[in-house]
Each structure stands twice: as structure tokens, then as C-alpha cells.
Amino acid sequence: MSTENELFSAVDALLEQVAQDDLPTPAERKRLREAAGLSQAQIATALDARREAVGNWEAGRTEPRPPKRAAYARLLEGLAARYPAPAADAPAAAPALVVPEAFTGPAPEPTPAVPAAAVPSSRPKTEAAGTTRPSATSRRPGAKKAAAKKAAAGPVDPRFENGPLAVIDCEDGQVSAYCVGGLVLDVPAKTIPALIDWTLTEARLGQARLHRNGRDADPILVLTAAALERFGLPVVLSEEERHASRLPESHKVVKQITRAGLQMSQRGFGPWARVYRDPEGSRRRCVQLCILPWNALDAREWDKKDNPQLPTMHPADLVQYLGLYAARVITPRGTTATTGLELMTALRPPTRAEKDPATGEFKRAFNDDALTQLYPVVECEVPDEHPVLKGKFARHHLRTPAEMLMEEPYDWCRPLTDDECVNPYLVVVDLNMSFAAAANGLTVGLNGPTHLTGNPQFDPALPGSWLVDLSHVDLSRVRINGRTVDGDRLPSPFTPKGDRPTGPAWYATPTVAYAVELGFDVAPIEAYVRTQTGRYLDSWYKRLRDAYVHTMADMGVTTDLGGQEFLDAMARRKQVDPTMGLLENAIKATAKGAIGKLRQRSRGQVPYYEPYPALDRWTWRPDIRAAVLATQRTGLHRKLMKTAAAADLYPVAIGTDAIVYPSPGPSPLDVLPHTEEGKPVPGTFRLGVSPGMVKWQGTQTVLWAEQLFEERGGVVNVSNLIKTDQSAGEGE
């Protein structure tokens, strides 16, 4: 027996020796793992290694050492046999989907391409005989040429080779599907059910999942007014239909859908209609219709609200705009708020497939870093109409800070002092994507609340709500870099109106932690905290940050600009590419709306104190919204304090993230403090494009403000009344 062991040991030694030079390249190691749907943690467990070690092997920073090297080589060899690399001399594939350079979606699942003969009706239109594939620009008369974009690195998933969505239009009786990259497909369908089936079987539309445990995005069809007429749908909804936000079940198109065996969601056939067939195994068969004339793309989010462009935009330009949004953010799912919330779950899926070791069957398992279920709510965290408050307050009772968590953005202003009135101007600077920036690195609770009573000790590591008295915090006693500030000219960091607290109140963890940071003792009375924590919003923030920064760069506003160069680039950016201007606004609306959606209110859907649909979502988490808003407000206040200490400069008004300063000149460069070398003072507001930095919102005269105060009989918050042409329509 010992002889056999010795032989095996000798063989293992030879395997290890061979493995020294037999490992695939780092990139190939990662490709094989992802093709098999394995995580770095799973490989680390199998090899008795650390997950970080596997990541280093795939990045090429380190190499595995014996005996793990031989085992790793054997694993990669087995994976390579199952998932071979594409042959270098394979026939040329269809042109890659033209998407922005910033696209960083996951590697697509290996799926065999559908033979061209199988999709005759989806043949792209051509200008001349013999042309077989479209160019990367629109080929329809009257359409603007799409801006040239670099193709995304890596292979295109053949299941979605025509992009995430299409705009369906009709011209001279011919229905066409305008796809990303200039591709135009003939659509043979004459009814909505036929259009759905064509999309599911031939169109090759959709988007690969953003996380390996998530799901692929359903294809989106944007219907123009001409397409609605062609398919027998009204271009304008009746008053009753608008109120119901759907067609009645008696409408002929709805009946066609039912007769064809298709199904719709409970929302029915409205501006965002979801039509589907039963899944084939684990494969979804669903198409979402975005009906443009029914205000599916609200001008306040997706368009210029004062001068809407989308209704008259050519389909080739419209699909370019929405395709860029899908590539950089996610395929649109409805409002920008709904889409932003969907992005959270797409990047942090609640569940995954896990093999049962006993049966070998796959079952659903929950992910530790995600929101996975509904938990009991906390009275102080919910809005006034929530069912949990029924019978506890009068119908129009205004809850006090000791009864309700009031973490909201700033809405504060004060009179100018005599010295400040000497300045001729009021300059407004605005924080870029302030709510998204506040989510970066924020630890939030992932499980249900734990009630702490009996004067618990404050723990900044526990997200939640704390009942504590912060009325003793005096900003004039705070020293920053050896200097004190004038607390009377600064808002309190603990209330949205900037008033100093008068007694115990509920605060989110970041607010209480800021009081401790300022050097004051805190003594909570009680608390509701979450013990399972994580940085749930990190990947969400990073994707939106990258989308925003790359979009701004496309308009000439890059991260290396500073001072006057940055201001000049911001002033001309929307003239560079109007489509990118729309995309900028949509990205910002996505970030802001998603945070608000975490505590969506009923908006009159049901009577007071009755359950409404949003409460059934796992992502209905008012405590997370409160934590983000608390972080945004206290982070802004931290910069106010450092600016006051560095330059004796104090704001006179703040509206959400717009800060008004008296200034000797009309430019932000005239007021924001700089060092002797010309650089921004550390910790103060800094001009720049990245989230959390500031841009110029506008300038007005002090005389204008004084006249406004006189007309309205008191001090008015002028922060969001001061805008210039270059910043109009901005905000969060």
C-alpha cells in the first residue's frame, strides 16, 4: 500500500512541476471562471485559499504556489474543455453593438447565435443592392448621424446583438425597428401580439445581466405615434383612460393580446405595458412597451420640461439617446426613479441559485449583501399615511421630531448682515449628484430593526434611528484648524430648516455620528438599529458616477479641468451635443429619484392608513433613505464649517444642495477660498465634474434679493431662484 502512495505522490509531484508553466493567462483564468458561473469565493473554498488570492491570480499580480497550483491548473483545464475560447479563424460575427466606452456590463453568457436563415423578416434594410450589414450611423433620410462611439470591449452576446431596445415607427405603411448603432429592421408584424412574438423570436433585443446572479433585461419597444396608428392604438388617451393610466379591457388590442395567449401585468396596457408568455424553463419571454405619445418618458425626467424634444425626435436619434442610457445605466423600466431602484436590485440581486448537496438540485438562496425580504417597520421612520400609524394619531396630526424621523435636505435661509450687503453679488454653487455621492461608502442596514431601550450607548457602526437630545450642540464652540466659527450664521446640521433642536428628536446614525465628530457627548434614550449591515449602494453609486462622468466628458467637461476652464466647458456643454444634455439630466434624475423611491408615499392611491403597493417591495426602506439624506446634509455642513473657518465665508441660503454665498464678483472663482498656490482649500467646496464637487448654478445681485425680500414680506430662500442660462433646468 505504501508503494502505491509513493507512486501517487510522485505523479502529483510531476503534475505540480508541469503546472508551473501550464497555467492559462490571467485574463483566460477569469474568462473560464465566469463562463462556468463560479465566484472567486467558490474557487477559493475548493482550493483552501483566500478569495483575495484568487482575485490576484486572475489579475496577474501573483501566481499560485504548490500544491494549490496543480489543483488550480487541473480546474482550469477542466473548465477549458467545457468552455473553449472562440476560435481565432471563426467566421466574422455581426458588428458589435455601438455603445459608449463607459459600458462595463458583465460578460455575456455563451449562447449559440441564431442562423441568419432563421430570421428572414429581421433582415436589415439597405440603401443599395448587395449591402448585407448596416453601418454604425442612421440610414434614414432626415435623421441626424449618430455620434461616433467606441465599441465596447469584448464579445457581444449574440442573443442581444441588436441592442437593448428599439424604436418602432411606421412610414408609408412599412413598420420599422430602429436599433442602436444605426441598424433598421423590417418588422413584418401587423398586430401587437405579432409584434411581441417577433421581438421574442427574431429581433435579438435585450441586455445581459449586470450581476451573474441577476437576470437579463427584457427588450424594450418604444412606440411612436405612427406605430400606434398602425397597430390600432389611440394616439391620445381619453380622460378616463388617462386617469386609469391604461386601456380598458374591452379595447380591441387588449382582446387581441388575450386571444393570442399573451399575458399582461396587473397594471394593464398603459404607458409602460409589460406583455409576456409563460417562461420556457428558466427563460423569461417578456417584452415591455414604452408608448411615447402616452407620456411614458416624462419630460420632467427624460426630456427638456420647458421645451420637450422627444415627441419630434427622429427614431434614429431617440434610440441613440435611450441606447446610451441603457448601456451606461440600465435598460429603462419606467420613470427614472423606478429605473434607479431597479438598478439597485440588478447590481445587488436578492437571490442566487445554490445546489443542494443532498439532492443535487438547484434551489433559491439569499445573498448576504442584498435586501432580501420585508421586515417590520418602525413607527418613527414611516410617512404619515402608513397603516402602522392607524389609530395612533389624529388624521391631520403633525408629528413632532420626537415622534418622527425628519431627515430631509436643507431648506434654509437667513438675512444678510450689514457687512455681507457690501458685496454686490450672490453666487450659487450646486453639489453634483449630491444624493448619489452621499450613498458612496455608506453602511446601511440589511435586516430588520432591533429595539434598544434604557439609554443605550451610541454605536456609529449600527445603522438605524436614535432618539437623542442634541440641543446642547453649539457650533460656536467647535474649533476647526484652531479657529472657531460664527454659529449664528450657519444652519444647524440637525434639522432641515437649520433651526437648533429644542429637545429629544429622532435622528439617523450619520447625524448622531456627526455630533460626536464635532466633539459633543450624546446620550440616546432609545434606538431602532440594524445588526446586519453592508455597503449596499456602493456598486449603484459607482455605475451612476461612471455614467455621469463619461457623459459629461462627451460634452467636453472632463475631470482634469479646473477653475475657469471648467466653468467655460460647463457653459458650452449642451451646445456640443443636445442628446448628451438629455442624458445628463436623465442620469441625475435616476440618482435622485431612486433614493426617494426607498420611501415612496401613497400619493392618494388608497385611503389614509390603508396598504399601498410600494409597501410590498423589499426595497421599501425608509431607514436607508434617511441615512442617505442625513449623510448628504451633514457632509454639506462639514464643508460649510471648513469654508467658514478657512475664509470667514458664510452661506445665506441653502436649497437641497444649492448654496448661496455673498461675493465681491459674479463668478464662483471670486468667492470660493483658495490657497496661495491657487488650489482649493482642503475640505471646502471645489469646482469640478465629479459627484460631490460643485458647479456654478447662477448669480444675482444683492439688490435683487433685497427687493425680493421686501416684495414677499420677509426672507425668501433664493437658492433655487438664482439660475443662469447655462444652468437652467439643473438641480439634482
Side-chain angles (χ1 to χ4, degrees):
M1 191 68 179
S2 60
T3 303
E4 187 178 25
N5 286 337
E6 291 173 0
L7 291 173
F8 279 120
S9 298
V11 170
D12 288 340
L14 286 174
L15 286 173
E16 290 180 15
Q17 183 177 347
V18 172
Q20 297 298 317
D21 302 312
D22 209 22
L23 287 179
T25 63
E28 177 66 3
R29 301 169 199 174
K30 181 178 181 181
R31 185 194 73 81
L32 291 171
R33 175 181 60 76
E34 292 181 340
L38 298 174
S39 67
Q40 292 179 346
Q42 287 175 298
I43 291 181
T45 300
L47 300 180
D48 194 24
R50 296 185 305 114
R51 185 200 62 77
E52 291 81 0
V54 177
N56 288 335
W57 299 344
E58 291 182 352
R61 288 189 289 267
T62 61
E63 290 293 316
R65 299 173 62 85
K68 294 181 177 64
R69 187 180 180 94
Y72 188 45
R74 183 175 181 180
L75 170 66
L76 296 175
E77 182 181 3
L79 294 179
R82 294 191 180 190
Y83 308 99
D89 56 351
L97 168 65
V98 179
V99 296
E101 189 175 3
F103 179 66
T104 56
E109 296 180 354
T111 305
V114 180
V119 287
S121 61
S122 298
R123 184 175 61 255
K125 295 183 178 182
T126 56
E127 291 285 340
T131 305
T132 58
R133 297 298 294 176
S135 67
T137 56
S138 174
R139 291 161 288 105
R140 277 302 184 94
K144 298 177 183 177
K145 289 190 176 182
K149 300 292 171 187
K150 294 182 180 179
V156 173
D157 192 325
R159 298 173 302 161
F160 312 128
E161 67 171 335
N162 293 333
L165 50 86
V167 175
I168 306 298
D169 192 36
C170 182
E171 184 177 347
D172 298 329
Q174 174 60 53
V175 180
S176 303
Y178 289 79
C179 303
V180 173
L183 176 66
V184 185
L185 303 177
D186 288 325
V187 180
K190 297 181 179 180
T191 64
I192 289 295
L195 178 65
I196 299 301
D197 286 337
W198 172 83
T199 305
L200 293 173
T201 58
E202 301 182 23
R204 300 185 196 174
L205 295 171
Q207 186 177 37
R209 64 198 69 183
L210 299 183
H211 187 284
R212 69 180 192 87
N213 291 326
R215 64 175 177 84
D216 300 326
D218 298 324
I220 303 289
L221 301 181
V222 182
L223 303 186
T224 65
L228 293 185
E229 293 178 345
R230 178 65 180 83
F231 290 114
L233 291 164
V235 175
V236 179
L237 294 176
S238 68
E239 184 176 348
E240 183 180 351
E241 290 166 346
R242 282 200 308 272
H243 185 266
S245 194
R246 60 194 295 173
L247 291 179
E249 294 184 3
S250 59
H251 194 279
K252 64 177 183 179
V253 172
V254 178
K255 290 182 176 180
Q256 288 175 356
I257 292 172
T258 303
R259 285 197 301 267
L262 292 164
Q263 303 175 58
M264 290 186 291
S265 65
Q266 293 182 351
R267 298 178 63 180
F269 202 99
W272 283 91
R274 192 177 292 275
V275 187
Y276 60 94
R277 291 197 180 279
D278 289 333
E280 287 183 347
S282 61
R283 178 173 168 265
R284 286 170 57 92
R285 296 192 296 170
C286 182
V287 177
Q288 192 158 11
L289 303 178
C290 168
I291 303 181
L292 191 61
W294 297 359
N295 199 35
L297 299 174
D298 194 312
R300 293 170 296 181
E301 304 169 340
W302 298 99
D303 206 348
K304 294 182 178 180
K305 59 184 178 182
D306 54 342
N307 183 24
Q309 306 293 309
L310 298 188
T312 59
M313 187 178 287
H314 192 279
D317 297 323
L318 179 57
V319 77
Q320 169 74 3
Y321 164 41
L322 297 178
L324 283 171
Y325 180 91
R328 293 183 175 179
V329 183
I330 193 174
T331 302
R333 308 290 176 87
T335 64
T336 52
T338 297
T339 303
L341 201 65
E342 289 286 338
L343 179 62
M344 291 183 190
T345 54
L347 295 169
R348 287 279 194 267
T351 61
R352 69 182 187 278
E354 185 176 81
K355 183 177 287 188
D356 188 331
T359 64
E361 300 281 336
F362 280 96
K363 61 179 183 180
R364 186 175 72 164
F366 292 102
N367 291 318
D368 293 335
D369 61 352
L371 303 177
T372 57
Q373 59 181 295
L374 287 172
Y375 291 102
V377 298
V378 176
E379 287 185 15
C380 68
E381 295 175 348
V382 301
D384 293 335
E385 68 273 16
H386 195 280
V388 76
L389 301 179
K390 188 174 184 178
K392 298 187 178 180
F393 297 102
R395 171 67 172 78
H396 296 291
H397 172 73
L398 295 177
R399 288 190 284 167
T400 67
E403 297 169 332
M404 181 182 184
L405 179 67
M406 296 183 180
E407 295 288 11
E408 300 292 339
Y410 271 126
D411 180 11
W412 169 84
C413 60
R414 65 171 176 82
L416 279 73
T417 65
D418 292 341
D419 289 341
E420 289 169 341
C421 287
V422 174
N423 292 287
Y425 297 103
L426 294 177
V427 172
V428 186
V429 291
D430 179 89
L431 285 167
N432 298 322
M433 296 184 69
S434 64
F435 295 142
N440 183 32
L442 178 65
T443 300
V444 301
L446 301 177
N447 63 344
T450 298
H451 191 193
L452 305 180
T453 59
N455 302 107
Q457 183 176 358
F458 174 67
D459 186 346
L462 291 177
S465 303
W466 304 79
L467 182 61
V468 59
D469 188 350
L470 298 179
S471 60
H472 62 288
V473 176
D474 183 358
L475 299 180
S476 298
R477 293 165 47 195
V478 179
R479 296 185 66 82
I480 298 178
N481 297 330
R483 301 183 61 181
T484 58
V485 299
D486 183 353
D488 293 334
R489 287 197 283 166
L490 286 171
S492 166
F494 308 126
T495 63
K497 291 294 184 180
D499 302 326
R500 187 166 172 173
T502 58
W506 286 101
Y507 302 101
T509 298
T511 301
V512 185
Y514 185 56
V516 175
E517 177 187 327
L518 293 175
F520 296 91
D521 294 330
V522 297
I525 301 168
E526 62 174 312
Y528 290 92
V529 298
R530 278 78 181 176
T531 55
Q532 180 186 343
T533 65
R535 291 165 59 162
Y536 175 71
L537 297 172
D538 270 13
S539 56
W540 176 83
Y541 160 75
K542 290 174 183 176
R543 188 159 180 90
L544 288 172
R545 174 202 63 193
D546 292 346
Y548 178 74
V549 170
H550 280 83
T551 299
M552 297 299 287
D554 285 338
M555 294 187 287
V557 186
T558 56
T559 55
D560 59 342
L561 298 180
Q564 192 60 48
E565 283 184 324
F566 170 73
L567 295 175
D568 292 342
M570 285 292 291
R572 63 174 177 264
R573 73 190 189 285
K574 292 188 179 180
Q575 283 68 48
V576 172
D577 190 338
T579 299
M580 287 297 167
L582 295 180
L583 185 59
E584 174 198 347
N585 291 337
I587 292 170
K588 292 190 293 187
T590 301
K592 179 180 180 181
I595 297 300
K597 199 87 170 171
L598 292 169
R599 197 196 70 154
Q600 182 177 338
R601 306 191 68 169
S602 72
R603 296 175 298 180
Q605 294 169 294
V606 297
Y608 238 59
Y609 304 129
E610 294 298 322
Y612 50 95
L615 303 182
D616 295 331
R617 291 197 320 256
W618 294 351
T619 50
W620 195 85
R621 290 294 299 268
D623 57 301
I624 296 180
R625 172 189 178 272
V628 173
L629 268 59
T631 302
Q632 186 267 355
R633 195 184 63 250
T634 55
L636 191 158
H637 192 275
R638 187 179 292 108
K639 291 187 177 183
L640 295 177
M641 292 280 285
K642 291 184 177 179
T643 302
D648 195 32
L649 183 63
Y650 294 86
V652 297
I654 305 173
T656 304
D657 49 19
I659 307 101
V660 184
Y661 278 114
S663 172
S667 169
L669 298 175
D670 296 320
V671 63
L672 296 180
H674 288 76
T675 63
E676 293 180 357
E677 294 78 18
K679 297 182 178 180
V681 174
T684 64
F685 297 105
R686 179 179 178 183
L687 287 171
V689 71
S690 298
M693 300 174 76
V694 298
K695 58 182 177 293
W696 178 47
Q697 177 168 293
T699 298
Q700 267 291 359
T701 64
V702 170
L703 179 60
W704 169 87
E706 293 292 351
Q707 290 175 339
L708 188 65
F709 296 161
E710 184 177 348
E711 291 173 3
R712 302 196 181 183
V715 178
V716 179
N717 191 339
V718 297
S719 58
N720 287 313
L721 299 177
I722 301 176
K723 292 183 183 292
T724 62
D725 291 339
Q726 70 89 23
S727 63
E730 295 214 4
E732 178 62 29

